[in-house]
Amino acid sequence: MAHGVHPNFVDKHEEHHRPVMQKGLVIKHNANQRYATSGITAFLFKEVGKIHNLPIQEFVVRNDMGCGSTIGPILASGVGIRTVDCGIAQLSMHSVREICGKEDIDYAYQHFKAFYQTFSNIDRKLNVDL
């Protein structure tokens, strides 16, 4: 899941990184590595979306705001697999009234299915200088 922009608190999000419900999966970025996404993994995930015409949003925490984390960085470092932290935009995360858009559930299913069908072909063409 990902923090969707709440209409009453729009100013809590970066202007160009305001995930909304019903607009596709959200790739989560954080310079302090609170999320496992890297430039390479974000690119691969976006390429799958582009090939299959699936919407993607991106989330970056404001510099002056704290942020939570996911288990992504811990798992990725332990197994050495390239990882992208992504999820469905939702409101009221960790409350008893979490909500998300029903269309996003279908987008998530389509994107994950497309990822398994397309990843090897995209990855084979990728040349990364480290």
Side-chain angles (χ1 to χ4, degrees):
M1 301 305 285
H3 291 285
V5 65
H6 190 287
N8 293 336
F9 302 101
V10 174
D11 60 319
K12 298 290 184 187
H13 287 263
E14 286 285 353
E15 183 178 351
H16 299 291
H17 299 279
R18 294 178 176 159
V20 295
M21 294 188 296
Q22 309 279 70
K23 300 291 184 184
L25 285 179
V26 179
I27 298 173
K28 303 188 297 186
H29 301 270
N30 184 272
N32 294 323
Q33 297 179 333
R34 305 277 300 188
Y35 301 131
T37 305
S38 70
I40 295 166
T41 60
F43 167 80
L44 290 165
F45 203 77
K46 287 189 278 189
E47 282 297 298
V48 170
K50 187 187 301 181
I51 289 168
H52 294 271
N53 199 29
L54 295 167
I56 298 208
Q57 304 179 75
E58 297 192 67
F59 172 72
V60 178
V61 176
R62 278 185 24 192
N63 284 349
D64 62 340
M65 304 278 295
C67 96
S69 186
T70 67
I71 61 168
I74 294 168
L75 292 175
S77 66
V79 296
I81 296 173
R82 291 181 292 186
T83 306
V84 61
D85 260 318
C86 65
I88 296 171
Q90 75 173 86
L91 297 180
S92 305
M93 189 179 289
H94 305 298
S95 81
V96 296
R97 292 184 176 91
E98 293 178 345
I99 60 170
C100 69
K102 69 177 183 68
E103 297 295 324
D104 288 328
I105 296 168
D106 189 47
Y107 286 138
Y109 169 77
Q110 290 176 44
H111 202 114
F112 296 143
K113 181 179 174 184
F115 183 85
Y116 284 108
Q117 293 171 341
T118 313
F119 174 78
S120 294
N121 291 333
I122 297 170
D123 189 50
R124 197 174 303 123
K125 298 173 187 174
L126 182 63
N127 184 8
V128 179
D129 290 336
L130 296 177

